[in-house]
Amino acid sequence: MRLLACLLLLPFALAGCNRGDPVRPATPHVASSATATLGDAVVHASAVAMADLNPAVAGNYGIASGQPGLLLLVTVRDAAGDAQDAGDLRLRATATPLGEVARTLELRRIQTGGLTDYVGEVRVAPPANVQFRVEAIRGGARAQMAFNAELQRR
């Protein structure tokens, strides 16, 4: 009797799980930036499509606007997001487009409005998925950051 009651209630219990919402497949989260703390410095690495940069920003970073590829931007700030002296910070970065070998990136130090940024360019044609790895060393502390960025067709 108890088994029969459970079987009769089972469809109602299962129907309540969905609540009428359409079932959506899980989508993987791909980080497009990474952050590390080295002492009192916060190092943040991110990537942006170079074609998305406005001419003024592209000019500040020493690249021509509208170029194909990704710009790796590494910033150095304090915990509040204010200017932080980079001091003896050393950076190494690689970019690995899907299906290709890792490329070592040359990072240029840029001073803008009292802030220290480092930029590197990855020339890839869309569509592309690029894995970035950044190693930061400062005052004996070391941090590794890794993230992926996608470059879509326009």
Side-chain angles (χ1 to χ4, degrees):
M1 182 72 151
R2 193 178 287 183
L3 178 61
L4 180 60
C6 288
L7 289 175
L8 290 174
L9 293 176
L10 183 62
F12 297 107
L14 292 176
C17 292
N18 186 329
R19 287 181 264 170
D21 295 334
V23 177
R24 294 182 201 125
T27 55
H29 174 70
V30 178
S32 58
S33 67
T35 302
T37 302
L38 296 168
D40 59 349
V42 177
V43 180
H44 181 79
S46 60
V48 64
M50 290 191 293
D52 290 344
L53 297 175
N54 69 45
V57 171
N60 285 343
Y61 291 143
I63 63 172
S65 61
Q67 294 292 315
L70 292 166
L71 176 79
L72 173 65
L73 173 63
V74 181
T75 62
V76 182
R77 307 289 187 263
D78 66 12
D82 297 323
Q84 171 74 33
D85 180 22
D88 63 346
L89 178 68
R90 291 176 300 169
L91 296 169
R92 283 184 273 201
T94 61
T96 309
L98 188 64
E100 296 184 26
V101 297
R103 305 174 189 177
T104 299
L105 295 180
E106 177 186 332
L107 297 177
R108 297 183 310 277
R109 183 179 176 148
I110 308 289
Q111 294 288 136
T112 306
L115 302 174
T116 303
D117 295 338
Y118 297 83
V119 296
E121 299 174 44
V122 182
R123 301 291 178 156
V124 290
N129 184 299
V130 179
Q131 180 182 54
F132 289 93
R133 293 191 180 277
V134 180
E135 180 182 44
I137 303 168
R138 183 173 191 245
R142 177 185 309 253
Q144 303 235 1
M145 298 173 278
F147 63 95
N148 289 354
E150 292 188 19
L151 182 63
Q152 301 295 331
R153 284 192 177 105
R154 302 203 163 269

